[in-house]
Amino acid sequence: MRRWVTITLFLLPALVLFVLLVLLPTLMAGYLSFFKWNGLGGLPTNYIGLDNYTRLFESDIFYGDLRTMGVIIVLSLLVQLPFSLAIAMLLHQRIRGRAFYRLVFFAPYVLSEAVTAVLFTMIFAPDESGLANAILGVVGLESEWFADESTVLLTLFVVMSWKYFGFHTLLYLAGRQGIPKELTEAAQIDGSTPWQVFRYVTLPLMGPTIRISAFLSVIGTIQLFDLVWILTGGGPSHSSETLAVTMMQFGFKRAQIGYASAISVVMFLLSLVFALWYQRYVMRRDLEGATVQ
Amino acid sequence: MRRHLVLCAATALFLAGCGSSTTPPQQSPQAGQSQKAEPVTVDWWHIATNDPGKSTLDKAAKAYMAEHPEVTIKITILENDAFKSKMSTVSSAGQAPDIFTTWGGGVLAQQVEAGLVKEVDLGEMKDSLTTAAVAPYVIDEKVYAVPTDIGMIGFWYNKDLFAKAGITEPPGTWSAYLEAVKKLKAAGIVPIALAGKEKWPGHFYWSYLAMRIAGLPALQQAAETKDFTNPDFVAAGQQLKALADLQPFQKGFENAAYPGPTGQSATVGNGKAAMELMGQWAPGSQKTEGKGLGEALGFFPFPAVEGGKGALTEAFGGGGGYAVGAEAPDAAVDFLKFLIAEERHAPAINDDLWLPIHKGEEATVSDPNKKAVAEALATATGFQLYLDQAYPPAVGQEVNDSVAQLIEGKKTPEEVVQSITEVAKSE
């Protein structure tokens, strides 16, 4: 009995916050998504069933959002994370100025998204005033970057990678440092090449770290907002729009709170289904032992 | 239960925002006119965070309170976006401040429909105000706000660059305008700066063309019938496409913002483009964002389209004013009339705050750029509020979005009117 009192007491503050700031808004959004409501005058009254959802699934913008999301997830998993891993491996070596490099690579992650966005708006300015065009112009590779539909996603990905690779590098570095030296030494004594040591000893042992970093990267992409909003606003012609940007457009610019709630519910479900699936099938072994029997 | 929570949350926000408020506002509809003894509090939310606006409004409130000791005006100053989000919080709880900033149009209409604001009786002042100044706040022939400011959109151009391209006078017709754009291009000058990322500057072109070709009544009718498929609107889109096909905009305009060092305003202000279609704030903005053009800056109204139903003298623009909450005391309206009385309003114009709203007030304007706008407005034969403000937010945003895609070559003129009609019908 005493035990339950203690548990309740310790749980209560977090529980109250969780219910008030996570559970309740989620339920509210779910409820509002069945109404046509502009957010004015008391509670919504115009119940329209699943209309907001059918409208969403018929909208080209929604499928464009999914495409943007897919492209960025694939690029992140295939380019950004391996790059971070490589940097982490380098930073694990005994090299001069290692602490300095660690600081430099992590610095972008500490910058706010808005600052990053403003910075890169100037770097990727479409005319000759931008740094990117000034440098790449020498080899004839100028571009209009964010202003051109064919380059906007790639440019956006470069900015995202710049911002977040330091975070993943930090995770990998911590994961790498957790691997006992004896294991790599044993492999070396048995005559493994450095590549073999990495491929058969380091990489498998870093599995849990890699899986959690991929998880964070995907969830972050599903909810991507700040950078896109400031850098492109979703344009040109919706070509870099994400679900969260569409939600903002409809909820706050068009005053269609019901429809925007439907978008947020879809985003929530995407994240939830992905998280459950990922934990069940990909991270199952990592999570074993995390719960007390 | 849920309703309770919403109310509680809204009230908490409301109280937190009001800071030192300890006494609840005492409101009774007749308070203003009844015996002097009865004290009244007027809650006033505005967004003039900087001078001259901030101090002018503050002075006016103090002067009014000195004349009417029973009235207490409580001012809450909010930054633009904070104001909008706070407004939506209090209005979803069904309450509005006694006096608050409005730009009229669709948002105000929604507030009227939700019963948040009430009709304003301007009394004798109604005849002294210009039609354009009051137009944004007229809903079903009733006035729902007191105007403080009105302006219009037109072309702000660089006289030096026009001269360099051999254009001797600003074009008065659309074909002459397209000709001028071609001449500028041929002279190696970027004809037009446009903030494509923000979409609203692009909608000025389509709106003006629609006004010139289809005429003002057609736009009002479309808003009522929710049908924009009128062939004249398609023609407006075709003319805009004809302009866009000349590629008159600066490089990378699709991602250009309005402010900022590479924005539309700075591009014109630094002499890198010959003109922009923008409101009365353009000269000031060109100076803060860029170098500014000084004497070289000129203004001309949007050209007339040959064979169109609209006239060159019809203006497109918007202003600002104050709406009055549904439960506000009469003192609120009385104060607003006091605020915009010509003896207080006219000096504020030359303090760089407002533009003329009273008939004949344009004579007092000294700044040549402001005078150009004020005179064009004073002689305007018709007025249309910004479409993204006049229509319900969803329709207005669809106009902006579709027109942006038209300019970028992603939508045809026919698809533009279809998208707008579709959204309008669903509202």
Side-chain angles (χ1 to χ4, degrees):
Chain A
M1 191 56 211
R2 282 277 306 269
R3 197 164 149 253
W4 282 108
V5 173
T6 319
I7 289 179
T8 318
L9 221 63
F10 275 103
L11 208 58
L12 208 61
L15 194 69
V16 167
L17 281 181
F18 181 75
V19 169
L20 219 64
L21 299 177
V22 179
L23 221 54
L24 210 70
T26 312
L27 292 176
M28 274 293 265
Y31 175 73
L32 291 177
S33 70
F34 297 113
F35 290 87
K36 184 175 161 179
W37 188 45
N38 63 10
L40 294 177
L43 283 177
T45 48
N46 190 359
Y47 179 80
I48 54 166
L50 289 172
D51 279 10
N52 282 327
Y53 291 94
T54 42
R55 188 179 142 206
L56 180 64
F57 295 135
E58 280 166 8
S59 141
D60 290 340
I61 295 178
F62 174 66
Y63 293 102
D65 293 350
L66 292 184
R67 183 182 149 269
T68 307
M69 193 175 90
V71 169
I72 292 185
I73 288 177
V74 168
L75 283 174
S76 298
L77 296 184
L78 293 185
V79 182
Q80 187 191 351
L81 298 188
F83 177 76
S84 308
L85 185 64
I87 297 280
M89 291 303 117
L90 282 178
L91 288 183
H92 186 68
Q93 313 289 324
R94 289 182 180 282
I95 47 170
R96 277 173 72 97
R98 190 167 65 165
F100 172 74
Y101 287 122
R102 284 183 185 176
L103 184 76
V104 167
F105 291 147
F106 192 63
Y109 182 69
V110 183
L111 280 185
S112 88
E113 311 243 332
V115 172
T116 310
V118 172
L119 185 72
F120 278 92
T121 305
M122 289 192 251
I123 291 179
F124 287 115
D127 54 8
E128 67 284 353
S129 70
L131 181 67
N133 274 347
I135 294 172
L136 292 170
V138 178
V139 287
L141 278 175
E142 304 101 327
S143 167
E144 292 187 8
W145 308 114
F146 293 121
D148 188 334
E149 268 181 68
S150 56
T151 50
V152 64
L153 276 186
L154 219 56
T155 316
L156 189 67
F157 172 71
V158 169
V159 179
M160 283 180 64
S161 298
W162 181 86
K163 176 93 174 73
Y164 293 111
F165 87 94
F167 172 70
H168 294 285
T169 302
L170 195 77
L171 284 183
Y172 294 144
L173 203 56
R176 178 65 184 85
Q177 282 167 349
I179 299 172
K181 222 174 173 177
E182 291 80 3
L183 297 174
T184 46
E185 268 174 8
Q188 276 160 356
I189 290 167
D190 286 344
S192 303
T193 62
W195 168 252
Q196 282 171 327
V197 174
F198 173 72
R199 173 66 189 83
Y200 297 106
V201 180
T202 317
L203 196 61
L205 285 171
M206 285 187 62
T209 317
I210 293 174
R211 285 190 282 272
I212 195 79
S213 115
F215 177 75
L216 291 176
S217 178
V218 171
I219 293 288
T221 308
I222 295 178
Q223 299 171 350
L224 182 63
F225 175 73
D226 318 41
L227 275 179
V228 182
W229 184 254
I230 304 174
L231 283 170
T232 69
S237 293
H238 301 288
S239 57
S240 64
E241 199 156 314
T242 65
L243 277 170
V245 170
T246 312
M247 178 180 80
M248 182 76 177
Q249 292 281 9
F250 280 93
F252 293 91
K253 293 217 153 167
R254 298 195 181 203
Q256 299 184 336
I257 307 283
Y259 185 60
S261 298
I263 301 177
S264 76
V265 168
V266 169
M267 263 170 76
F268 171 71
L269 288 179
L270 273 176
S271 304
L272 186 74
V273 168
F274 172 76
L276 291 178
W277 170 81
Y278 199 84
Q279 294 199 347
R280 177 81 182 76
Y281 292 100
V282 183
M283 293 185 20
R284 188 170 42 177
R285 279 179 49 206
D286 305 338
L287 293 172
E288 264 171 24
T291 49
V292 182
Q293 298 301 317
Chain B
M1 183 58 195
R2 186 170 279 127
R3 190 185 174 102
H4 239 83
L5 279 168
V6 173
L7 279 175
C8 283
T11 319
L13 274 172
F14 181 76
L15 288 177
C18 290
S20 60
S21 94
T22 40
T23 46
Q26 287 147 350
Q27 296 163 346
S28 80
Q30 283 83 31
Q33 254 127 23
S34 64
Q35 267 66 46
K36 280 176 201 149
E38 211 172 320
V40 191
T41 306
V42 176
D43 247 326
W44 182 14
W45 290 13
H46 71 68
I47 58 161
T49 47
N50 295 317
D51 276 334
K54 194 176 163 187
S55 56
T56 308
L57 298 179
D58 194 49
K59 257 183 249 161
K62 286 209 175 98
Y64 184 81
M65 284 190 283
E67 277 181 33
H68 303 81
E70 78 281 6
V71 180
T72 312
I73 299 174
K74 213 171 62 195
I75 299 179
T76 307
I77 303 174
L78 295 155
E79 187 275 326
N80 185 42
D81 284 341
F83 166 75
K84 284 180 182 165
S85 61
K86 209 168 152 181
M87 269 311 292
S88 54
T89 312
V90 294
S91 41
S92 55
Q95 279 191 331
D98 297 328
I99 301 176
F100 61 95
T101 300
T102 181
W103 298 273
V107 174
L108 184 63
Q110 285 185 341
Q111 287 163 344
V112 170
E113 203 179 322
L116 293 168
V117 292
K118 66 175 175 189
E119 191 186 349
V120 174
D121 180 17
L122 287 169
E124 290 165 14
M125 205 170 248
K126 198 171 182 185
D127 300 322
S128 85
L129 294 169
T130 60
T131 333
V134 186
Y137 320 104
V138 180
I139 293 153
D140 292 333
E141 290 170 23
K142 290 178 187 158
V143 182
Y144 283 97
V146 177
T148 53
D149 188 25
I150 188 72
M152 71 178 276
I153 304 293
F155 278 108
W156 295 96
Y157 74 108
N158 186 325
K159 290 177 189 162
D160 295 345
L161 291 181
F162 267 52
K164 210 169 132 193
I167 305 161
T168 44
E169 59 180 292
T173 64
W174 183 246
S175 54
Y177 179 79
L178 291 179
E179 225 27 68
V181 167
K182 283 182 203 155
K183 274 190 194 163
L184 285 161
K185 270 216 91 148
I189 298 162
V190 175
I192 305 171
L194 181 68
K197 185 169 139 192
E198 301 195 16
K199 296 176 185 168
W200 55 266
H203 110 281
F204 295 159
Y205 288 88
W206 190 86
S207 312
Y208 251 131
L209 282 166
M211 275 170 67
R212 297 290 188 252
I213 296 173
L216 280 179
L219 272 170
Q220 274 144 19
Q221 200 196 344
E224 276 159 35
T225 60
K226 301 181 173 185
D227 184 359
F228 289 79
T229 52
N230 181 337
D232 283 347
F233 292 147
V234 179
Q238 281 159 348
Q239 290 308 318
L240 179 52
K241 191 172 180 310
L243 174 65
D245 285 345
L246 298 176
Q247 301 191 320
F249 308 115
Q250 83 276 26
K251 202 175 175 191
F253 75 91
E254 297 94 332
N255 190 46
Y258 177 68
T262 55
Q264 168 177 337
S265 197
T267 306
V268 179
N270 291 336
K272 288 186 177 169
M275 60 183 144
E276 62 174 333
L277 184 58
M278 196 39 72
Q280 65 279 9
W281 59 87
S285 179
Q286 287 169 9
K287 230 182 290 173
T288 35
E289 304 293 341
K291 293 191 205 95
L293 295 176
E295 294 284 299
L297 183 69
F299 178 83
F300 65 90
F302 196 92
V305 177
E306 294 87 340
K309 300 184 182 85
L312 181 79
T313 49
E314 285 164 352
F316 177 75
Y322 292 105
V324 176
E327 276 151 39
D330 288 352
V333 181
D334 194 52
F335 165 68
L336 287 173
K337 284 191 208 161
F338 173 87
L339 174 70
I340 63 160
E342 212 168 334
E343 68 262 30
R344 256 170 300 276
H345 192 269
I349 295 171
N350 288 326
D351 276 347
D352 240 9
L353 183 58
W354 294 316
L355 278 172
I357 53 168
H358 297 283
K359 286 173 186 156
E361 209 182 7
E362 68 275 5
T364 64
V365 183
S366 53
D367 177 77
N369 292 321
K370 280 193 159 191
K371 210 177 177 74
V373 173
E375 277 170 357
L377 267 172
T379 52
T381 52
F383 186 82
Q384 171 64 49
L385 179 64
Y386 307 125
L387 294 190
D388 61 359
Q389 186 73 41
Y391 298 155
V395 183
Q397 292 298 322
E398 186 58 43
V399 173
N400 291 359
D401 201 71
S402 301
V403 171
Q405 295 199 49
L406 174 71
I407 294 173
E408 284 163 20
K410 295 287 157 199
K411 267 191 179 166
T412 63
E414 289 80 10
E415 283 167 346
V416 171
V417 297
Q418 277 155 13
S419 312
I420 300 172
T421 306
E422 211 171 285
V423 175
K425 296 238 179 210
S426 74
E427 268 301 292

